[in-house]
Amino acid sequence: MEGTKTVVKVGSRKSQLALIQTNTIIAKLKEIHSNYEFEVVSMTTTGDKILDSALSKIGAKDLFTRELELALEKGDVDFVVHSLKDLPTRIVDSLVIGCVYKRDSEYDAVVMHPKHKGKKLDDLDENSVIGTSSLRRAAQLARRFPTFKFENIRGNLNTRLKKLDEDNKYDAIILAEAGLVRMGWNDRIAQVLTPSECMYAVSQGAMAVECRAGDEKTLALLSPIHDQDTALQCIAERAFLKQLEGGCSVPVCVCSTLTDSQISLKGGVYSIDGKQSVIDTVTKTFPEEPAAKKKATNGHTFSAIVHGNIELVLCQTAEAAGMELANRLLVTEAADILAEAKRQTAEAVIAEQKRKEQEAI
């Protein structure tokens, strides 16, 4: 029938931030594809349900994505919007990251308890309590502020801000700047942490859209919003993490920069207490030869990201930068630091399971 629009079902977590992100993607797609209607299908993930344990103590890498991916595999939704940092570097073969949307701030931000309004971390007392659910943030900041106490804080952004303001337990909490800005809470940002203070998480600040591999209709729908610069940086960062076999269970951090001719990736591995670290940088120059044109790749992806409308050689160069940096670190003491961090995390997972079993008795 004339005027009938194609309906696309979009999967999303139920949190306010997740829905803001999902609707941002939908709004951009509507600007480009006026003949499509988008229906949001929201759902709760395992990570949303387990709020009494640190992420690193739960022992799974797909806490915020698995339920959404199952709906995608079953065909209940056509694509799913994620914070890319939540997506594991390895996903099932039947799914791909169909596009990476233009990145917002990749940095971490400090939100102060109201009693510390106007202060920065350097202004806090030496025994201050900082809330974070991230081993990466805690490890880096413990090195800089060894007398601070870092405590787990879980929940969506609304919940964490409420805990900060009302519980009187935390002097400050550390959150991603991008999430705070998307929620319209810029006025709560007391300090933005530079990479010299706290390098960020792999793909932090980037949104990604996951769809079924081989779903050419959806891939074509997403292609116009696949941001080249963001995708290349995230390919490098995810390749680094994938080669290290890291995740939220180990303190791994990055900082990437991109020019027309080069990609540079700085990456670090920290011990959980922050006392040990190895940091290095790799810079790769993009080939100039016109022979390096996009070719058919039989579905090849880069840490699950499709190259789409991006020249294949650029993706290959970005991926090589991440892998080279990881391999450099793995022949140093970083390998032992990683192994020990994984051992400590595995023990913490077992201890947490036993704690919950005892509570259930």
Side-chain angles (χ1 to χ4, degrees):
M1 182 189 296
E2 188 178 346
T4 300
K5 295 188 176 183
T6 302
V7 177
V8 176
K9 292 190 175 181
V10 184
S12 173
R13 288 167 62 194
K14 288 185 175 180
S15 75
Q16 184 182 354
L17 176 59
L19 290 169
I20 286 171
Q21 293 176 167
T22 297
N23 285 315
T24 297
I25 296 294
I26 289 173
K28 180 55 69 172
L29 289 172
K30 279 183 174 179
E31 287 179 14
I32 301 165
H33 306 287
S34 59
N35 57 327
Y36 281 83
E37 285 287 349
F38 297 88
E39 177 186 324
V40 177
V41 180
S42 60
M43 56 197 82
T44 302
T45 66
T46 302
D48 296 314
K49 296 173 186 173
I50 305 175
L51 298 176
D52 60 344
S53 301
L55 294 176
S56 58
K57 294 181 180 180
I58 301 174
K61 291 183 178 181
D62 55 359
L63 290 169
F64 296 106
T65 61
R66 193 59 196 135
E67 286 80 2
L68 293 163
E69 289 180 324
L70 286 171
L72 194 51
E73 288 179 290
K74 290 193 295 183
D76 293 341
V77 294
D78 298 297
F79 65 75
V80 172
V81 179
H82 301 282
S83 290
L84 183 49
K85 72 174 183 176
D86 290 339
L87 265 176
T89 53
R90 289 180 170 86
I91 64 176
V92 294
D93 292 341
S94 60
L95 304 177
V96 294
I97 297 168
C99 84
V100 180
Y101 191 65
K102 184 173 176 58
R103 194 177 208 168
D104 293 316
S105 169
E106 54 269 80
Y107 304 124
D108 291 311
V110 181
V111 180
M112 289 289 175
H113 188 282
K115 67 185 176 185
H116 296 307
K117 188 173 182 178
K119 292 183 180 180
K120 299 186 184 301
L121 289 178
D122 283 320
D123 302 319
L124 295 178
D125 293 340
E126 62 179 20
N127 60 348
S128 293
V129 176
I130 311 299
T132 177
S133 57
S134 162
L135 293 177
R136 170 191 60 82
R137 291 169 180 149
Q140 291 183 87
L141 293 174
R143 193 180 183 94
R144 187 175 176 88
F145 301 98
T147 63
F148 283 1
K149 186 175 183 182
F150 294 89
E151 293 280 358
N152 178 57
I153 184 167
R154 287 290 317 285
N156 59 39
L157 285 190
N158 310 64
T159 302
R160 280 183 271 181
L161 276 184
K162 187 176 181 182
K163 287 180 179 179
L164 171 68
D165 292 345
E166 298 180 7
D167 288 1
N168 225 27
K169 174 181 179 180
Y170 309 98
D171 292 283
I173 59 176
I174 314 297
L175 301 167
E177 183 187 12
L180 288 163
V181 172
R182 288 168 189 160
M183 293 286 283
W185 294 340
N186 309 55
D187 61 327
R188 292 303 305 265
I189 298 173
Q191 180 180 0
V192 176
L193 299 174
T194 64
S196 63
E197 295 169 310
C198 187
M199 285 196 287
Y200 43 86
V202 165
S203 303
Q204 184 161 308
M207 291 184 280
V209 181
E210 189 178 19
C211 64
R212 288 179 290 277
D215 182 354
E216 299 302 333
K217 185 177 178 180
T218 299
L219 287 166
L221 181 76
L222 299 173
S223 180
I225 64 168
H226 192 33
D227 185 74
Q228 175 168 300
D229 288 358
T230 303
L232 292 176
Q233 287 179 282
C234 291
I235 285 169
E237 294 170 16
R238 284 171 62 84
F240 171 66
L241 185 64
K242 183 178 180 180
Q243 192 75 357
L244 288 179
E245 296 188 347
C248 65
S249 62
V250 291
V252 173
C253 51
V254 295
C255 175
S256 62
T257 54
L258 191 71
T259 68
D260 288 342
S261 61
Q262 290 183 324
I263 185 166
S264 181
L265 179 66
K266 181 179 182 181
V269 171
Y270 281 75
S271 60
I272 287 177
D273 62 10
K275 292 179 179 177
Q276 296 173 283
S277 67
V278 179
I279 298 169
D280 205 345
T281 303
V282 162
T283 298
K284 289 280 190 186
T285 300
F286 295 118
E288 295 180 359
E289 308 89 59
K293 296 264 185 183
K294 189 181 350 179
K295 310 173 205 160
T297 56
N298 297 320
H300 178 72
T301 60
F302 299 87
S303 297
I305 298 173
V306 301
H307 68 84
N309 53 12
I310 304 170
E311 291 290 352
L312 183 63
V313 69
L314 302 182
C315 299
Q316 291 169 331
T317 304
E319 181 179 59
M323 293 177 68
E324 182 179 324
L325 180 57
N327 289 333
R328 273 197 202 178
L329 294 188
L330 289 172
V331 295
T332 70
E333 64 177 325
D336 294 330
I337 294 171
L338 272 173
E340 177 60 16
K342 289 178 180 178
R343 185 193 67 77
Q344 290 180 31
T345 302
E347 287 184 354
V349 169
I350 294 169
E352 186 71 2
Q353 289 170 344
K354 288 181 178 178
R355 180 187 72 81
K356 290 192 170 185
E357 288 169 3
Q358 286 297 318
E359 288 180 352
I361 294 173

